Amino acid sequence: AYNVFMITVGAFMIFHHENSVFQFMPFIFVMIAWIAGNLLVFYFIYRNADQTDKIHAAIEKLASGETSYKVDVNDFSSLEAELAEGLNRISDGLETALAEQVKSERLKADLITNVSHDIKTPLTSIINYVDLLQNEKNNRTKNNINQSKEIVFSKKSVFVIL
């Protein structure tokens, strides 16, 4: 409202005064400086809003799962540039964490596969040995079967230690 009032008063003074227009030159220079100042303020406000929009868009992309997204720091000034660098560091951290998680999952799957194989091999041998004892039960004496059982049970302690 003050701006409109000043412009109206200035125009009224220029067009309704009987003296020369040159008498109002200081007022005209002040008005030009005021307009230039307002345009400069508008430029900085617009630039700040544009940078804020870019940072918001980068945050949305990171939040949606696009962890490799990088913000071009050269598009920003001062505080916004620091925020953009921070977002880039967050992106790097997310990428590193994601790569380590994938590596961990792969190692876990390999461990389960290897342990499963290591457990199955001796158990298969034991099962086959017990089957052999069952099949030879008729051919052996009770004394031989008891000796075989003692051997199996003595080897059991080795498996418990492992």
Side-chain angles (χ1 to χ4, degrees):
Y2 177 74
N3 296 338
V4 173
F5 175 74
M6 288 298 291
I7 292 171
T8 306
V9 168
F12 179 76
M13 289 176 69
I14 290 173
F15 294 116
H16 288 89
H17 202 277
E18 297 175 10
N19 293 337
S20 159
V21 174
F22 294 109
Q23 175 181 342
F24 298 104
M25 288 305 275
F27 177 76
I28 292 172
F29 287 129
V30 168
M31 290 304 295
I32 290 172
W34 175 81
I35 291 171
N38 279 336
L39 289 174
L40 188 63
V41 167
F42 175 76
Y43 167 75
F44 284 119
I45 290 172
Y46 176 78
R47 187 181 73 172
N48 189 14
D50 184 49
Q51 292 175 358
T52 302
D53 288 345
K54 287 179 182 179
I55 288 174
H56 184 265
I59 290 171
E60 289 296 321
K61 287 187 180 201
L62 287 173
S64 69
E66 197 174 325
T67 58
S68 62
Y69 183 76
K70 298 285 185 209
V71 181
D72 187 12
V73 180
N74 297 328
D75 291 345
F76 299 97
S77 62
S78 71
L79 178 62
E80 287 80 9
E82 291 176 25
L83 290 172
E85 288 174 4
L87 286 174
N88 287 342
R89 286 192 301 271
I90 289 172
S91 174
D92 292 340
L94 287 172
E95 282 292 309
T96 303
L98 187 61
E100 287 188 20
Q101 183 181 8
V102 168
K103 181 182 175 183
S104 175
E105 291 293 326
R106 187 175 46 243
L107 289 174
K108 185 171 85 174
D110 290 346
L111 176 68
I112 291 171
T113 302
N114 291 338
V115 168
S116 174
H117 180 273
D118 290 346
I119 290 174
K120 284 181 182 178
T121 302
L123 287 177
T124 303
S125 298
I126 293 169
I127 291 169
N128 288 337
Y129 188 69
V130 171
D131 285 343
L132 181 64
L133 286 176
Q134 289 291 337
N135 290 338
E136 291 185 3
K137 189 176 184 181
N138 298 333
N139 297 338
R140 290 185 153 182
T141 64
K142 227 176 194 184
N143 191 23
N144 287 343
I145 291 175
N146 286 336
Q147 285 177 343
S148 296
K149 286 181 184 177
E150 287 176 23
I151 293 171
V152 169
F153 285 118
S154 69
K155 299 301 179 187
K156 174 184 164 188
S157 64
V158 174
F159 285 115
V160 171
I161 292 172
L162 294 177

